[in-house]
């Protein structure tokens, strides 16, 4: 398991700074943007259990992990199980079909944010339906969209996302499709204007809401990370995934 070797970082102060910044941006967000207050997912990949517990004790409940093995280990860490009973885990990494059962067995699993194909969605639906004891609720999922078109990024193309949305809603009763997400290209220069990845995701959001007669604030939009979550919120993000601003930059070592 990971042990703490990073330079001491005040996790509580980092979390409070991010929450304060979210409040500030909400006050500046254009009134025509119909979106709920963003959910903050603290990205704890490569960070030790102690850091997760510090954030939890400061009030944070939703945590995101990118790697299956690390999610398995951290979610079952005895200290986290004992001290963080209401923790909610989000899987935000690339999902391989052969790892589905491992992820679905994670204690306090809240959401999988990276569904990007009918095949993956169908296998998740089938696997969740077979869980014992039977889950009380459908599995919450988001569709991951590759808005930047980068080969190294997972996600369905933006033009194909509405069809996948329709497929899941119509056919997979064990999944609760709650929205869409993107990672986007890193290091966009905001002096050039709005981030095209965010623009693209909001266009998909709009088309999905119109096609299904859904209120805009009923479909989650997961976009924005430590370097640009404020810009994402301005454009309508309702889930932001923030790591280094909360936990610092240095990772733990095995």
């Amino acid at each position: 398991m990971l042990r703490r070797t990073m330079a001491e970082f005040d996790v509580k102060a980092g979390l409070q700074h991010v929450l304060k910044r979210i409040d500030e941006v909400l006050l500046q967000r254009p009134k025509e943007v119909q979106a709920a207050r963003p959910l903050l997912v603290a990205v704890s990949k490569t960070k030790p259990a102690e850091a997760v517990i510090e954030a939890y004790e400061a009030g944070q409940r939703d945590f995101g992990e990118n790697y299956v093995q690390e999610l398995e280990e951290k979610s079952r860490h005895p200290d986290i199980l004992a001290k963080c009973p209401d923790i909610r885990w989000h899987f935000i990494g690339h999902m391989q079909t052969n790892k589905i059962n491992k992820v679905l067995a994670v204690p306090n699993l809240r959401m999988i944010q990276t569904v990007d194909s009918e095949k993956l969605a169908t296998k998740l639906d089938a696997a969740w339906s077979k869980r014992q004891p039977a889950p009380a609720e459908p599995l919450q999922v988001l569709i991951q969209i590759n808005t930047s078109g980068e080969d190294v990024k997972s996600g369905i193309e933006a033009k194909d996302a509405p069809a996948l949305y329709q497929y899941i809603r119509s056919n997979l009763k064990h999944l609760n499709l709650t929205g869409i997400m993107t990672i986007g290209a890193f290091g966009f220069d905001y002096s050039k204007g709005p981030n095209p990845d965010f623009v693209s995701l909001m266009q998909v959001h709009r088309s999905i809401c119109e096609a299904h007669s859904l209120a805009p604030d009923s479909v989650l939009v997961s976009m924005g990370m430590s370097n640009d979550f404020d810009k994402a919120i301005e454009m309508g993000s309702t889930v932001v995934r923030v790591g280094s601003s909360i936990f610092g930059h240095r990772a733990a070592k095995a």
Side-chain angles (χ1 to χ4, degrees):
M1 187 57 205
L2 300 173
R3 68 177 187 275
R4 193 161 202 165
T5 59
M6 58 183 174
E8 284 304 310
F9 186 87
D10 191 334
V11 172
K12 182 177 180 180
L15 176 62
Q16 290 176 338
H17 173 76
V18 171
L19 292 171
K20 180 181 178 182
R21 182 60 185 144
I22 288 174
D23 288 336
E24 291 171 348
V25 178
L26 283 175
L27 292 174
Q28 303 165 1
R29 186 159 67 181
K31 289 182 170 54
E32 61 267 21
V33 176
Q34 299 179 47
R37 189 184 195 282
L39 171 71
L40 172 61
V41 175
V43 179
S44 49
K45 67 175 182 178
T46 76
K47 302 302 184 286
E50 306 96 277
V52 172
I53 293 168
E54 285 179 41
Y56 184 94
E57 291 178 343
Q60 180 64 21
R61 292 295 179 268
D62 292 87
F63 293 81
E65 290 288 338
N66 292 65
Y67 307 115
V68 175
Q69 182 177 347
E70 189 176 350
L71 175 59
E72 285 187 290
E73 292 177 354
K74 213 171 285 180
S75 66
R76 291 182 174 86
H77 190 285
D79 291 342
I80 290 179
L81 288 172
K83 297 179 180 180
C84 309
D86 298 319
I87 197 168
R88 298 185 288 261
W89 293 105
H90 297 241
F91 185 69
I92 58 174
H94 175 60
M95 171 68 78
Q96 297 173 292
T97 55
N98 64 343
K99 299 290 180 65
I100 284 176
N101 287 327
K102 290 185 176 182
V103 174
L104 297 192
V106 164
N108 297 310
L109 178 66
R110 178 67 168 183
M111 180 184 290
I112 294 176
Q113 295 200 17
T114 50
V115 175
D116 60 1
S117 69
E118 289 186 8
K119 177 183 177 181
L120 176 57
T122 301
K123 286 183 176 294
L124 282 169
D125 181 80
W128 192 248
S129 72
K130 296 174 184 175
R131 297 287 307 160
Q132 293 295 334
E137 298 177 346
L139 174 66
Q140 291 194 46
V141 299
L142 302 182
I143 292 175
Q144 181 179 1
I145 300 170
N146 185 348
T147 52
S148 64
E150 296 171 275
D151 292 338
V152 295
K153 296 263 173 62
S154 299
I156 193 170
E157 290 187 34
K159 65 180 179 61
D160 297 324
L164 179 57
Y165 194 95
Q166 175 66 45
Y167 174 81
I168 295 173
R169 275 179 57 100
S170 301
N171 300 291
L172 306 180
K173 65 179 181 179
H174 301 289
L175 300 185
N176 178 14
L177 177 55
T178 55
I180 55 180
M181 75 88 81
T182 192
I183 295 176
F186 182 75
F188 177 74
D189 181 359
Y190 283 93
S191 68
K192 298 179 179 179
N195 188 322
D197 291 317
F198 296 168
V199 172
S200 176
L201 196 66
M202 293 311 300
Q203 288 173 341
V204 174
H205 178 262
R206 189 177 306 111
S207 67
I208 286 172
C209 291
E210 291 174 353
H212 298 278
S213 300
L214 299 170
D217 59 2
S218 70
V219 179
L220 294 177
V221 178
S222 177
M223 66 182 188
M225 298 185 285
S226 286
N227 63 317
D228 57 10
F229 70 89
D230 50 352
K231 301 294 186 182
I233 293 170
E234 288 176 0
M235 294 192 65
S237 176
T238 49
V239 182
V240 291
R241 310 179 303 274
V242 180
S244 59
S245 295
I246 297 173
F247 296 109
H249 290 278
R250 293 197 179 184
K253 294 182 179 179

